Amino acid sequence: MRERNAMTSRHVENRDKFWLEEAGRLHWFKEPMVASDVSWDAEDFHIRWYEDGVLNASYQCLDRHLETRGEKTAILWEGDDPSVSEAITYREAHEEVCRMANVLKARGVGKGDRVILYMPMTPEAAYAMLACARIGAVHSVVFGGFSPEALASRIEDCGAVAVITADEARRGGKTVPLKENVDRAIERAGKAGDAVHLVLTVRVTGAKVGFEDGRDLWWHTSRDDVTKECPSEPMAAEDPLFILYTSGSTGKPKGVVHTTGGYMVYASYTHEKIFEVAEDDVYWCTADVGWITGHSYIVYGPLANGVTTLMFEGVPTYPDASRMWEVVDKHKVAQIYTAPTAIRALMREGDGPVKKTSRASLKLLGTVGEPINPEAWRWYHEVVGEGRCPIVDTWWQTETGGVLITPLPSDPMTKPGAATKPMPGIMPALVDNDGNPLDGAAEGNLILTESWPGQARGVWGDQERFIQTYFSTYPGRYFTGDGARRDEGGDYWITGRVDDVLNVSGHRMGTAEIESALVAHPSVAEAAVVGYPHDIKGQGVHCYVILNQGTEPTDALAKTLRGHVREEIGPVATPDRVQLAPGLPKTRSGKIMRRILRKIAEGHPDQLGDTSTLAEPQVVDALIDGAKQFE
Ligand code: WTA
C-alpha cells in the first residue's frame, strides 16, 4: 500500500514528470523530452506519447540485456508433451530473432509492412513478433483458434504482405492444421491474398503440408541462409508496433493499433509493479500470444524487464488436471497469471490434483480476462497458494495495452472478486447513462478521464470508428464498455460488459459477429445471440435462430448451425446452444428486445418485465417453451 500511495502522489504532483520518469525504464536511442500531447475531443482528436523519442521494441527486449543477462533464460518453453521443454537464453533468442528478421528482410518485408502471425505457442511465436518489431514491420497475431475465414478477413483488412505460421499446432494432445488454414485463407482473401508474397512456416509436428514455390519458405532451412546479426530499426515512439483484432458490439472485429514507445513503457511499468518478479524467478502467464495478455505479459512486458518468461504450448487439463501445478514444480514457477475460467475448470476436479504437488516456489497469483467469482478466488488463494500468495485480479482490455485496475502485491488482500484500485497514473471514474459523474460508493459505467501511455491509438484503417466507439458515448472521455461498482473504500468491482460483447472463457466475442455468421447460412432468416451465465466459461453463447420459410426445424439442423459458426469464425466461437425459434420479440418499430432474450437464456422467464410494447407478445411463450430443452 505504501508504494502505491507514494507512486500515486508522485503522479498527482506532476503528471508529465511521473510519466517521463517511467519512460526512463527503457533504453531509448533518443530519449523523449515530452510526455504527452493528447486530445480526446472529436474535432481535434490525437493521442501522442513520448513523440520525440526513438527506440526499438526488439532491442529493448533482447539487445539491452545481452551484456548483463546474455546467459539468463529468456524463454522457458514447456511443450504440450510433459516430457518436452527447452530453455532459451537471451543470447540465443537474440540470434533467432535476428535470423528471422533477416529472412523477412531478404524477402522485401520492411518498415511499416503488415505481417500476420498465425502461430502455435512455441518460442518462434515470440521470435516472429520480435523479428517484425526489429525491422519496423507491424505484426498482427491471429489466435490459432480462428478459422480460415476469420484469418482471410484480417489479411484483407490490414493488407498483409507476409504470414508467419507453422505446419501444425499441438494443443492438449490434438493438432490444428495451421498451414492448411493459411493456404485456405489466402485463397479466400482473393486479391488481398495475392498480395501475400511470403508464407514463412515453422516445422512443429512435421506434418505434410502444401508448399507454393516462390511464396513459401521453411523457417528451419531459411534461417541458415542468413546471418545472425540484424540491426534494429530506429522507430519513432508513435510508429505502430502491432495491430490486434478484437470484437466490439457492432460489425466486424476491429484492428486495434498500439504504437511503440508508450505501449512498451506501460507494459514494462505494469509488469514490474504488479508481478514483482525477482531476478531469479520464473514467471508464467498461461495466455496465448493471440490475445493482448500474451502480447503484454508473455512477450513485451517480461522481456523488456529481463524476466524469464515461461511459454506453455498446451492446456491446463492435459494430460490431466495436475498439469499446471506440475509445471510449477518442474520449473519452480514463482508467479502464475491465468484466467478465472481455467481456475474454475480445475477447481471442479477437486483439491487432489493440486495437493499432490508442492507449489513451494509460488509467491504470487494473478487473474485476468473476466470477473472472478469469490469462490474461485478463495480456492485459488487457499488451495493453490496455501494462503501465502497475494492475488492480483487485473482488469484491463485489448485497447488499454496493459493493466489499469488491480491490487498490488503489497496491498491487503481482503476483497475476493474486487479489482480494487487503479494503477498509479490511471484515472478511472463512474458515470450514469447520461454521463453524469457518480461520486463515492456507486455503480455505473466505467470510464477513463485521462490518457495513459499504453492506450490504443486507433483502429486500423478507420480512425472515425475508433473515435465513435470509445469517445462518443461520453464525449471527451474513454468509455470501456464495462460496468463497475465502487465501494465505500473506493475499491472497484468490475461487473462485466454493459454492451453486446460476450466474454466466453475470457475470450471476447461480439454477438453481432456470431449473428452475421448464422445468417450467412442458407437456411437462416434471422438470428439473435445473447450470453448466459456458465459455471466454467463465465458466459455461454445462446443463439436464437429463425429459419427460412419452409425449412424444417430439426436437431440435426441446429447441430449443423453450430458447426457452421465454427467454420465461419473458428472453434472459439462455437455456440453452446442453438434454439430454433418461430420469431423474435420485437417492438412495433422492429427493434429486437434483447433484454427479454437474455432473461429467457438466463433461465428467468419470470423476470421479463414489461412486454406490452411487443408487436407479437405470444412469441415470448414459444421462446420460453423452446428454452426448456437446455434446462
Ligand atoms: C473483461 C483482456 C473483470 C472486461 C485483458 C474487459 C475483466 C474485457 C477483467 C477485455 C477482470 C478483463 N475482471 N473483467 N480482472 N479483465 N475483463 O480485450 O469485460 O480480451 O472489457 O482483454 O474483459 O477483454 P480483452
Side-chain angles (χ1 to χ4, degrees):
M1 211 52 162
R2 208 176 318 133
E3 199 195 356
R4 178 197 280 284
N5 293 342
M7 282 193 288
T8 304
S9 334
R10 273 204 299 124
H11 178 252
V12 171
E13 267 163 36
N14 188 333
R15 294 169 187 200
D16 283 359
K17 185 159 171 263
F18 175 88
W19 286 120
L20 278 173
E21 275 171 17
E22 286 307 328
R25 58 180 44 258
L26 300 188
H27 175 95
W28 298 81
F29 300 146
K30 179 177 173 295
E31 296 240 353
M33 296 296 144
V34 206
S36 66
D37 177 5
V38 176
S39 161
W40 287 352
D41 285 334
E43 276 85 75
D44 176 33
F45 189 90
H46 59 271
I47 304 169
R48 292 193 283 267
W49 280 88
Y50 310 122
E51 61 180 309
D52 56 335
V54 177
L55 77 167
N56 181 287
S58 168
Y59 187 96
Q60 181 61 39
C61 291
L62 301 167
D63 308 50
R64 84 177 297 217
H65 305 305
L66 290 182
E67 208 170 300
T68 50
R69 298 184 174 112
E71 309 321 313
K72 176 175 174 172
T73 301
I75 299 173
L76 186 51
W77 180 68
E78 167 78 8
D80 191 45
D81 175 342
S83 67
V84 178
S85 56
E86 196 185 335
I88 298 132
T89 64
Y90 272 93
R91 198 173 307 285
E92 289 163 340
H94 175 263
E95 176 176 339
E96 295 305 303
V97 168
C98 285
R99 285 185 186 276
M100 202 178 275
N102 282 332
V103 170
L104 295 173
K105 263 170 115 172
R107 278 294 188 94
V109 181
K111 189 168 178 172
D113 286 339
R114 274 81 60 207
V115 179
I116 294 263
L117 275 49
Y118 188 60
M119 297 289 287
M121 283 291 289
T122 59
E124 289 83 3
Y127 303 159
M129 292 164 77
L130 294 168
C132 289
R134 197 160 189 93
I135 61 174
V138 182
H139 62 70
S140 183
V141 186
V142 177
F143 176 57
F146 281 114
S147 67
E149 190 64 49
L151 188 55
S153 78
R154 286 154 174 78
I155 289 174
E156 213 171 324
D157 187 80
C158 75
V161 300
V163 177
I164 307 178
T165 188
D167 50 2
E168 291 184 314
R170 252 189 234 115
R171 246 178 131 243
K174 301 192 190 108
T175 56
V176 185
L178 296 182
K179 174 63 163 68
E180 190 188 315
N181 287 354
V182 168
D183 290 342
R184 284 170 59 194
I186 289 177
E187 178 140 2
R188 270 178 210 215
K191 254 176 116 174
D194 297 340
V196 174
H197 61 74
L198 167 66
V199 176
L200 181 62
T201 306
V202 177
R203 191 170 62 186
V204 171
T205 63
K208 212 170 139 28
V209 294
F211 193 89
E212 196 176 302
D213 281 325
R215 187 196 70 184
D216 293 4
L217 276 183
W218 282 106
W219 162 239
H220 65 275
T221 56
S222 58
R223 72 178 289 294
D224 296 327
D225 299 336
V226 292
T227 65
K228 59 175 193 174
E229 292 299 335
C230 173
S232 41
E233 189 73 33
M235 303 297 285
E238 284 300 338
D239 282 337
L241 177 61
F242 64 85
I243 303 169
L244 190 56
Y245 285 85
T246 192
S247 298
S249 46
T250 55
K252 285 208 284 187
K254 296 182 280 284
V256 170
V257 178
H258 281 285
T259 56
T260 311
Y263 172 81
M264 289 300 292
V265 168
Y266 200 68
S268 163
Y269 163 65
T270 47
H271 194 266
E272 179 188 304
K273 302 298 178 198
I274 297 169
F275 297 102
E276 291 192 342
V277 182
E279 191 62 44
D280 295 327
D281 284 349
V282 171
Y283 155 88
W284 180 19
C285 165
T286 70
D288 189 283
V289 289
W291 310 112
I292 190 69
T293 307
H295 283 61
S296 303
Y297 300 117
I298 294 178
V299 180
Y300 289 115
L303 294 180
N305 293 350
V307 160
T308 296
T309 182
L310 192 149
M311 229 176 136
F312 177 40
E313 189 182 26
V315 296
T317 46
Y318 176 82
D320 59 45
S322 252
R323 182 69 190 273
M324 265 180 77
W325 325 120
E326 269 156 16
V327 172
V328 167
D329 284 356
K330 177 173 169 187
H331 297 296
K332 304 280 174 293
V333 171
Q335 295 85 12
I336 299 192
Y337 189 31
T338 194
T341 189
I343 298 166
R344 287 191 297 263
L346 295 172
M347 184 169 82
R348 192 176 57 171
E349 306 292 326
D351 299 358
V354 185
K355 291 202 163 145
K356 71 183 213 203
T357 61
S358 142
R359 289 156 287 111
S361 56
L362 284 178
K363 299 186 198 169
L364 176 131
L365 305 170
T367 75
V368 57
E370 43 177 329
I372 182 162
N373 45 316
E375 197 194 354
W377 192 99
R378 285 197 191 90
W379 186 80
Y380 199 31
H381 189 245
E382 278 148 34
V383 181
V384 175
E386 295 177 338
R388 70 169 194 281
C389 306
I391 293 193
V392 291
D393 171 1
T394 65
W395 173 84
W396 60 297
Q397 312 177 296
T398 303
E399 297 87 339
T400 70
V403 173
L404 296 193
I405 304 184
T406 180
L408 292 180
S410 57
D411 292 350
M413 296 287 146
T414 50
K415 294 185 181 175
T420 74
K421 297 260 185 340
M423 279 301 292
I426 299 302
M427 311 295 277
L430 295 177
V431 292
D432 67 16
N433 290 340
D434 300 320
N436 302 309
L438 301 169
D439 296 325
E443 183 162 349
N445 302 305
L446 182 61
I447 63 164
L448 278 308
T449 60
E450 267 183 39
S451 182
W452 63 100
Q455 160 169 48
R457 302 299 194 261
V459 167
W460 184 261
D462 197 348
Q463 200 61 3
E464 258 324 293
R465 189 171 175 206
F466 183 63
I467 301 169
Q468 178 62 30
T469 308
Y470 303 103
F471 304 92
S472 72
T473 317
Y474 307 112
R477 292 164 291 172
Y478 171 85
F479 179 39
T480 63
D482 279 312
R485 181 166 70 78
R486 193 175 43 223
D487 66 20
E488 305 285 343
D491 284 314
Y492 285 87
W493 302 69
I494 310 297
T495 50
R497 301 290 303 198
V498 294
D499 54 11
D500 290 322
V501 172
L502 306 181
N503 194 325
V504 181
S505 302
H507 300 161
R508 243 167 102 165
M509 220 88 69
T511 51
E513 252 174 284
I514 303 175
E515 287 160 7
S516 75
L518 284 165
V519 296
H521 190 276
S523 303
V524 176
E526 209 179 355
V529 173
V530 298
Y532 68 93
H534 187 289
D535 284 350
I536 305 289
K537 299 176 170 189
Q539 270 189 311
V541 180
H542 187 126
C543 309
Y544 296 90
V545 176
I546 318 301
L547 298 174
N548 282 323
Q549 207 114 62
T551 308
E552 248 338 89
T554 60
D555 288 348
L557 181 55
K559 203 169 151 214
T560 304
L561 293 176
R562 285 184 77 213
H564 173 74
V565 173
R566 210 183 142 89
E567 272 289 303
E568 289 280 309
I569 308 178
V572 278
T574 310
D576 297 275
R577 305 166 169 176
V578 172
Q579 179 175 349
L580 303 178
L584 294 173
K586 290 186 183 166
T587 59
R588 283 183 201 100
S589 57
K591 197 170 151 20
I592 297 174
M593 291 184 77
R594 289 177 174 274
R595 177 177 53 86
I596 293 181
L597 294 175
R598 264 185 229 119
K599 285 291 175 199
I600 296 174
E602 286 165 8
H604 296 302
D606 50 320
Q607 300 171 8
L608 297 187
D610 184 12
T611 55
S612 62
T613 56
L614 285 177
E616 296 175 86
Q618 68 280 12
V619 150
V620 171
D621 293 328
L623 289 173
I624 295 173
D625 212 42
K628 288 197 178 126
Q629 61 178 304
F630 305 114
E631 278 171 11

